[in-house]
Amino acid sequence: MRWEIPDGLRWVERTEVGRAWLAELPGRLADCVARWELTLGPPFAYAFASLALPAELPDGTRAVLKLQYPDDDSVHEATALAHWAGHGAIRLLAHDAGHRALLVERCDPGTPLHALPPDAALDVAVDLLPRLGVPAGPPFTSLAEEAAGWAERMPGNWRRTNRPYERRLLDAALGLLAELAPDQGEQVLVNQDLHAGNVLAASREPWLVIDPKPLVGEREFAVVPLVRGAELGHSPAAVRHRLDRLSAELGLDRERVRGWAVGQTLAWSIGGDQVFPGQVETVRWLLDEG
């Protein structure tokens, strides 16, 4: 089949690793089509960390074929989907680890959670998150190990991008990560990218999670992507409202949720040489709440 790089993936052209991955994609795609006897549609334009295409199996099953960009965060995506076994998340239909290829359930109609009014979206999250927080261990990376990596990289990223935010934010985030990581509660499967664009309306269940970036850590971390994510509103009031509602209704320690949100949001505020000002604003709002 003929296809063009979707807009959401254009960023990979700027790196040597990305260009090498793009060069390998046609062969990998052809192998997957032959192996699973797929009929494919055009790539989804919004996919950011994978080439994702609607697919149909010989028996008519509607699916999505994903060829992952070779980052560390998504290495265990297939393992997480298998662990959840379709309970609150899309089903894994097939997996080729060598090709970093996943064949997964397609969500129909596929409307993102952020299409709902913010409080209705939070209602869905409150129902969904406890189902996803199942006990887990290896091979998933631990939240403590991931947090140590953030803490190690953050000062260098800050200096390399010409100190794009005030030093107090960096010091606060490093202090909170050092405090939180060694003193966690029950260890469960958490998804460090569970924002409102990664929960889609489906037919098998009303809402299903897609594209997990799994870790094993305490439940307080699981709500962080929804607290920091701009999809449900980007303002001090909106961020603090999500923090309050999710913490209270899920029985979580609000201060630990806030601390994890500061640490991960600042760690994710720089990607390569790009700074994401909205993430930095969110950290300020969380630290400076009255």
Side-chain angles (χ1 to χ4, degrees):
M1 63 171 290
R2 297 173 62 87
W3 56 275
E4 294 184 0
I5 303 167
D7 292 342
L9 274 178
R10 287 289 177 186
W11 65 272
V12 305
E13 297 175 312
R14 300 195 296 268
T15 70
E16 184 176 346
V17 172
R19 290 189 292 272
W21 177 67
L22 288 174
E24 295 174 354
L25 276 182
R28 293 187 181 189
L29 185 61
D31 288 347
C32 291
V33 168
R35 176 178 179 178
W36 293 319
E37 302 179 73
L38 302 176
T39 301
L40 299 179
F44 293 110
Y46 59 81
F48 182 80
S50 63
L51 178 68
L53 309 97
E56 188 170 302
L57 279 68
D59 65 1
T61 298
R62 291 162 59 83
V64 172
L65 174 65
K66 292 184 61 178
L67 294 170
Q68 297 173 321
Y69 181 78
D71 61 19
D72 292 337
D73 290 339
S74 60
V75 168
H76 297 303
E77 177 179 346
T79 311
L81 293 176
H83 203 73
W84 283 318
H87 300 295
I90 54 171
R91 284 182 173 140
L92 177 69
L93 305 178
H95 179 220
D96 183 332
H99 280 24
R100 293 289 295 263
L102 288 75
L103 193 65
V104 298
E105 175 182 10
R106 194 188 318 180
C107 292
D108 289 314
T111 310
L113 184 60
H114 58 71
L116 295 181
D119 271 314
L122 291 179
D123 289 340
V124 173
V126 167
D127 179 66
L128 194 57
L129 278 159
R131 302 176 60 208
L132 300 171
V134 294
F140 300 111
T141 301
S142 72
L143 175 56
E145 180 182 345
E146 189 75 5
W150 298 335
E152 181 180 353
R153 294 187 294 271
M154 284 165 65
N157 289 341
W158 181 69
R159 290 189 292 269
R160 179 173 47 78
T161 52
N162 298 314
R163 298 168 171 80
Y165 50 79
E166 55 270 43
R167 178 66 193 236
R168 73 177 182 95
L169 303 187
L170 178 62
D171 290 342
L174 292 174
L176 286 164
L177 291 174
E179 175 186 335
L180 293 167
D183 182 31
Q184 298 181 51
E186 179 190 8
Q187 298 290 284
V188 298
L189 193 56
V190 295
N191 176 4
Q192 61 175 327
D193 201 28
L194 203 170
H195 57 73
N198 277 344
V199 183
L200 304 183
S203 53
R204 182 174 59 82
E205 289 192 14
W207 298 94
L208 293 172
V209 169
I210 66 167
D211 296 340
K213 290 179 168 44
L215 299 171
V216 173
E218 66 177 354
R219 296 179 190 276
E220 277 74 8
F221 180 79
V223 302
V224 164
L226 287 165
V227 170
R228 66 172 166 78
E231 295 83 6
L232 299 181
H234 184 66
S235 70
V239 169
R240 293 165 188 162
H241 177 65
R242 294 194 294 271
L243 172 63
D244 289 340
R245 267 208 66 186
L246 292 169
S247 298
E249 295 182 30
L250 291 170
L252 303 174
D253 183 320
R254 183 186 185 279
E255 284 305 296
R256 293 188 70 85
V257 174
R258 185 173 76 103
W260 283 120
V262 168
Q264 192 207 27
T265 304
L266 200 66
W268 283 29
S269 70
I270 297 174
D273 293 325
Q274 185 175 2
V275 178
F276 302 104
Q279 303 269 47
V280 177
E281 282 185 321
T282 297
V283 172
R284 289 196 191 99
W285 296 335
L286 289 166
L287 286 174
D288 298 340
E289 63 176 2

